[in-house]
Each structure stands twice: as C-alpha cells, then as structure tokens.
Amino acid sequence: MSQSRVPQANFEFHHRQPVQLRFNDIDMLGHLNNSVYIQLMDLGKANYFHQFIDGRLDHDKLAVVVANINCDFHAPAYLEEPLEVLTAVESMSAKSLRLEQRVVNSDTGEVKCRAITTMVNIDTHTCRAVDISPEWRRVISDYEGRPL
C-alpha cells in the first residue's frame, strides 16, 4: 500500500464530496472497512450526477447503472480522518461512461483508495443499453473541461 503506486490522473477532479465516517464503519483493526469505501464512492457518484439533473433526467425511462467496479486500496483510513471522494468522468462511449474516483485525506491529499467504475446508460423499461444523449455528453464534457 504505497502512494508511489497510485497512477496519476490525466485530468483534474472538479467534484469533491466531503464524507463523515461513523463508528460502525471501522473494522477490528481500527481502520475503515473496505466495503465502506464503495458506499462512500456511491455517495460521490450520486452527488456528481445530481448536479446535472436539474429536472432533466426521467428515472422512469433512463438510468445510469454500475456494470463494473475495480478498486485498489493504497492506505488505511481512520475514524477521525477528514476524507473526501473525488469523482471525474474519465471517458465516454456511445452507451457507457468510465468514472475514476478516489477517497483521499482532505488535509494531506493522501490517496486511500482509487476505483474505476464502468456505468451503462439503460432504458429502465427494456433493461437494454441506450445511447447517452448529446445533451448529457455536452453537459458532462463542459463540466469536466474536456471533450469526452
């Protein structure tokens, strides 16, 4: 678990979500349980996408769902540690997008874990993948400050 093994991102993280740990998030070794990191990153994802909704997303028709998550743990986190989740869309294809997220110490910037998540845009009635709309592609690209 070394910081030197954390890959550099080729982009900036514009979205930061402060998180608060609870006593029951800590395992027998006194650090954040690995399953809790996924919950923290879910909160980061939800808040990342919520900023774009503004009444435009109809959850009865379309939804972005997790297809795959790969998470690397780099350093333990502890109960009193100030943490935040960094979230960015790394890339987009026609029907899916790839997120990079990091849980970091907000004071030191130390990366606790890094996850790459593939999310697929689906039609909730057919449960089939559908294209990401040009509007969403534009809004997310504008937010990220680069073409996706």
Side-chain angles (χ1 to χ4, degrees):
M1 295 203 297
S2 165
Q3 288 299 301
S4 63
R5 300 178 96 187
V6 180
Q8 280 295 112
N10 297 328
F11 47 82
E12 267 186 73
F13 288 93
H14 299 290
H15 189 270
R16 295 175 173 273
Q17 176 67 50
V19 292
Q20 181 179 357
L21 301 183
R22 303 163 301 178
F23 177 77
N24 61 326
D25 294 336
I26 305 305
D27 64 18
M28 293 179 2
L29 299 174
H31 52 70
L32 186 62
N33 185 284
N34 61 359
S35 65
V36 176
Y37 285 94
I38 302 299
Q39 295 172 28
L40 298 179
M41 288 184 281
D42 281 347
L43 179 63
K45 280 192 277 293
N47 286 314
Y48 179 93
F49 288 115
H50 187 263
Q51 68 186 341
F52 304 124
I53 292 173
D54 195 32
R56 294 179 295 208
L57 182 62
D58 184 350
H59 288 289
D60 289 333
K61 295 180 184 171
L62 296 174
V64 181
V65 297
V66 172
N68 180 272
I69 298 176
N70 291 296
C71 189
D72 295 318
F73 300 95
H74 297 282
Y78 299 95
L79 183 61
E80 300 297 324
E81 202 167 356
L83 298 177
E84 60 186 350
V85 178
L86 312 182
T87 303
V89 172
E90 176 187 277
S91 61
M92 268 197 252
S93 67
K95 298 176 183 182
S96 67
L97 53 88
R98 186 173 152 127
L99 286 174
E100 179 169 336
Q101 291 184 286
R102 295 174 183 221
V103 175
V104 302
N105 178 303
S106 53
D107 288 344
T108 67
E110 180 183 31
V111 178
K112 303 301 182 168
C113 79
R114 173 183 177 261
I116 301 295
T117 303
T118 300
M119 301 186 78
V120 177
N121 194 39
I122 65 163
D123 179 307
T124 58
H125 296 295
T126 65
C127 293
R128 301 229 183 253
V130 295
D131 287 343
I132 296 171
S133 74
E135 177 187 9
W136 271 81
R137 191 172 298 282
R138 180 190 53 76
V139 168
I140 293 173
S141 292
D142 287 352
Y143 179 77
E144 291 294 347
R146 57 193 160 77
L148 293 167

